[in-house]
Amino acid sequence: DKIFDKFDYPNSALTLGWGLSDEELFRKWVVVLDGEREPFFSSALTMTNHHPFEVPENYRLQRGDSLRDRYRESIHYTDAMLGQFLSRISKKSWFENSIIFVSADTSSYQSAELHSKNFEDFVKLRSQVPLLILSGKSVIRNKMFRGLVVSQPASQVDLAPTILDLSRKKFSVPWVGRSLLNPDNLLSGVPLLAFTNRPGAYWAVIEEKFRYYRENEQRDHFFGNLADQNGQHLKQIGRSWLTTIRWVLQENLVWPEK
């Protein structure tokens, strides 16, 4: 395994905000991917669409200088750099057999522009994380199809099982998540769950029919049919999840020493 950081870039590389610009990152990533032996797995974390939202002058939208204006400019810039990256790698020999996942580690902390009808709306507007899965083979062959839209609640813990499912290999792992493409494969009748947590503000466990939200560790919010009964079950799951994560961090089991 190899981790590339700022020390693998020349001093002249453009930095914006917290680190290297997305343009520099994607350009380097193409070189890295070209040097990989197939099959390979590689990931990269963009930085420009993180606060303080600095972008090159030619990507300014000139609609204002508020935090929200700068946020929109950063999304505009990152979207353009991602498009250039996909255009470059689409010409590579390994692209046809590639699957590209585009997602985020957290949602935006920006204030929602829509009015919240209730606490569930309040959380949903602040907890949504994008996920786009692209097949290199479909892009190359320019297949015109609607694709698949997953409407069930899900979260980042479901990404790794989904990646393995797309590889069409049988697997057995002690993970919490489940494949978004075949959620009932191993746990028939058990719905997908989405977990979200914003320390000091709220945490939630969300199913398609039942949802539970904990506000500031002081107030419960239940939604769905037979909400209280099923909500208590989701509340127990959420408590167990938070306790487990705290223990994993306390025992240094996220990145354990070898």
Side-chain angles (χ1 to χ4, degrees):
D1 294 341
K2 169 67 174 176
I3 296 177
F4 292 87
D5 57 24
K6 65 179 182 179
F7 300 109
D8 294 288
Y9 289 77
N11 293 333
S12 59
L14 176 65
T15 60
L16 296 169
W18 277 22
L20 291 156
S21 70
D22 290 353
E23 182 176 14
E24 296 282 1
L25 181 142
F26 282 126
R27 185 185 295 118
K28 178 72 172 181
W29 201 15
V30 173
V31 176
V32 170
L33 294 175
D34 269 340
E36 295 283 3
R37 185 173 63 181
E38 299 179 48
F40 59 80
F41 173 84
S42 183
S43 65
L45 179 64
T46 63
M47 298 294 291
T48 308
N49 66 333
H50 198 290
H51 183 272
F53 311 127
E54 296 178 3
V55 301
E57 189 61 30
N58 57 320
Y59 283 91
R60 294 292 306 274
L61 298 176
Q62 307 302 334
R63 295 178 182 174
D65 199 41
S66 69
L67 192 63
R68 183 170 293 172
D69 291 324
R70 298 203 305 272
Y71 171 70
R72 287 171 173 160
E73 289 174 346
S74 73
I75 297 299
H76 169 62
Y77 171 75
T78 296
D79 180 69
M81 295 304 102
L82 175 61
Q84 291 180 15
F85 168 74
L86 293 173
S87 178
R88 290 190 194 106
I89 66 173
S90 67
K91 302 174 179 61
K92 303 295 182 179
S93 60
W94 42 263
F95 180 75
E96 184 171 359
N97 291 322
S98 298
I99 300 173
I100 299 98
F101 284 71
V102 182
S103 189
D105 57 341
T106 67
S107 59
S108 170
Y109 69 86
Q110 298 295 311
S111 298
E113 297 184 35
L114 298 177
H115 176 69
S116 302
K117 295 179 293 185
N118 51 41
F119 194 71
E120 178 172 45
D121 252 14
F122 175 86
V123 173
K124 284 187 174 181
L125 287 171
R126 290 159 177 79
S127 300
Q128 297 183 63
V129 175
L131 173 62
L132 175 66
I133 305 175
L134 296 172
S135 162
K137 186 172 296 184
S138 296
V139 173
I140 287 178
R141 298 179 182 180
N142 195 27
K143 287 187 176 180
M144 301 300 293
F145 66 99
R146 291 181 297 173
L148 172 68
V149 177
V150 178
S151 59
Q152 299 103 315
S155 49
Q156 285 98 334
V157 295
D158 302 308
L159 283 180
T162 303
I163 292 172
L164 288 177
D165 197 7
L166 283 168
S167 70
R168 296 184 180 180
K169 296 182 182 294
K170 291 184 178 181
F171 60 91
S172 177
V173 292
W175 291 337
V176 176
R178 297 160 64 185
S179 171
L180 299 176
L181 304 179
N182 196 14
D184 295 327
N185 186 29
L186 299 176
L187 297 172
S188 178
V190 180
L192 278 167
L193 290 173
F195 301 88
T196 185
N197 177 29
R198 183 157 291 190
Y202 58 78
W203 57 268
V205 183
I206 304 167
E207 287 185 4
E208 194 166 15
K209 296 181 179 180
F210 315 109
R211 289 90 63 200
Y212 168 75
Y213 303 86
R214 180 69 171 170
E215 181 182 359
N216 297 325
E217 285 298 348
Q218 295 178 350
R219 186 178 178 186
D220 296 329
H221 297 268
F222 302 101
F223 294 89
N225 299 329
L226 301 175
D228 287 349
Q229 176 184 344
N230 292 281
Q232 289 294 338
H233 174 62
L234 295 183
K235 182 177 181 179
Q236 292 174 357
I237 293 176
R239 286 283 184 206
S240 300
W241 176 261
L242 292 173
T243 300
T244 301
I245 292 301
R246 290 183 183 123
W247 177 79
V248 167
L249 293 172
Q250 171 189 307
E251 300 299 320
N252 192 29
L253 296 178
V254 178
W255 303 107
E257 296 179 5
K258 294 183 179 180

